[in-house]
Amino acid sequence: MRAFIVDAFTDRPFAGNPAGVCLLDKPADATWMQRVAAEFNLSETAFVHRTAENTYGLRWFTPTVEVDLCGHATLATAHVLHTVRSAAPDAALHFTTLSGVLTARRHDQGAISLDFPTDVPTATPVPPLLAQALGAEPQWTGRARHDLLVELPDAATVRDLNPDIAALADFSGRAVIVTASAPNDADHDFVSRVFAPAAGIPEDPVTGAAHCVLAPHWAERLGRTTLNGVQLSPRGGRVGVELRDDRVTLLGQAVTVFTGELTP
């Protein structure tokens, strides 16, 4: 079967977030998929099979666990289907997932939009010892469905953060998202970084699912529903967001960096 590595939420190779994409002829055994994801050792590997015209089953695995939502691996999958399977440029691709049906559409210059559910964080008291684990003082914290969102004073604090990764595993079921506004940057509105040691990912380079949390948070803070975010990991990446009630559109690009065949 064909396998790919795609850098997502970037327009150039070796940036953004790399995802594995495996094209299946039919659903595969979960234990086997988990082993393949561990072999790829990327933050997520996507497994996709066609179920009807422009409709696919899609699952995502980190090196250690299956996850119920992944933005960058969905973007990577849509990119592969458009470039390899020759899906019609204007066709919407529908993915049946553990988070319901997700839709991807191709736009000009290779950009792809994803229709995802929002995940609105609820304000909570700052957890004890969180500041010590982060190495920075939180300004605000909130709980989303799986993640802890932490707002820090400014973009420089987010960029320079050097947290105790092991300690952060105690503060969230999936990830700790740190963020700050970027009022002095003309091309983006907020910044973020994402740490997910509980899911086997010390730091995720660019995280689509985190922007389902960040979009409603910053839309409320900044009074706008269309925003641009930059994830300040060492690889870096950009995610455009547009909030629409309980849905959010994520916009990004992707680049294939590896193609090959996977032995069953």
Side-chain angles (χ1 to χ4, degrees):
M1 65 194 70
R2 299 194 69 182
F4 306 79
I5 296 176
V6 176
D7 289 341
F9 292 116
T10 182
D11 60 358
R12 64 187 191 277
F14 314 121
N17 200 352
V21 179
C22 297
L23 300 183
L24 308 178
D25 292 328
K26 59 184 179 181
D29 175 72
T31 300
W32 176 84
M33 289 189 286
Q34 185 64 77
R35 289 173 175 169
V36 172
E39 187 78 5
F40 272 47
N41 200 32
L42 300 170
S43 56
E44 265 90 11
T45 298
F47 299 84
V48 61
H49 67 279
R50 187 176 183 272
T51 57
E53 184 176 2
N54 296 325
T55 303
Y56 301 84
L58 178 62
R59 294 171 74 173
W60 313 277
F61 291 78
T62 78
T64 59
V65 296
E66 183 174 11
V67 296
D68 62 7
L69 187 66
C70 180
H72 86 280
T74 305
L75 182 69
T77 301
H79 170 78
V80 166
L81 293 175
H82 276 298
T83 57
V84 175
R85 288 286 174 90
S86 300
D90 58 348
L93 305 180
H94 305 286
F95 299 109
T96 303
T97 77
L98 293 176
S99 292
V101 177
L102 309 176
T103 302
R105 290 180 171 84
R106 194 176 189 181
H107 301 270
D108 294 338
Q109 286 81 51
I112 294 172
S113 64
L114 306 175
D115 176 43
F116 272 37
T118 57
D119 189 2
V120 182
T122 301
T124 59
V126 177
L129 303 179
L130 177 61
Q132 179 178 328
L134 284 173
E137 195 65 41
Q139 304 295 292
W140 181 93
T141 56
R143 288 281 177 186
R145 191 157 64 101
H146 296 300
D147 305 321
L148 176 68
L149 180 64
V150 182
E151 187 175 336
L152 296 179
D154 50 51
T157 303
V158 174
R159 182 191 62 231
D160 298 336
L161 206 62
N162 185 25
D164 182 339
I165 298 294
L168 289 183
D170 297 333
F171 293 98
S172 180
R174 181 174 63 183
V176 175
I177 306 166
V178 296
T179 188
S181 64
N184 299 320
D185 288 288
D187 65 346
H188 59 278
D189 304 290
F190 62 88
V191 299
S192 65
R193 290 174 69 186
V194 176
F195 306 97
I201 307 166
E203 180 171 4
D204 199 33
V206 193
T207 316
H211 284 76
C212 297
V213 180
L214 291 161
H217 176 77
W218 286 114
E220 180 181 8
R221 289 280 201 278
L222 301 178
R224 289 185 285 120
T225 56
T226 301
L227 302 163
N228 289 297
V230 168
Q231 200 155 324
L232 296 176
S233 67
R235 291 175 64 99
R238 307 180 65 86
V239 184
V241 300
E242 182 180 359
L243 195 66
R244 298 171 290 101
D245 298 322
D246 63 346
R247 307 291 293 183
V248 60
T249 298
L250 309 178
L251 185 68
Q253 294 180 288
V255 180
T256 301
V257 295
F258 171 86
T259 63
E261 292 185 356
L262 184 66
T263 303

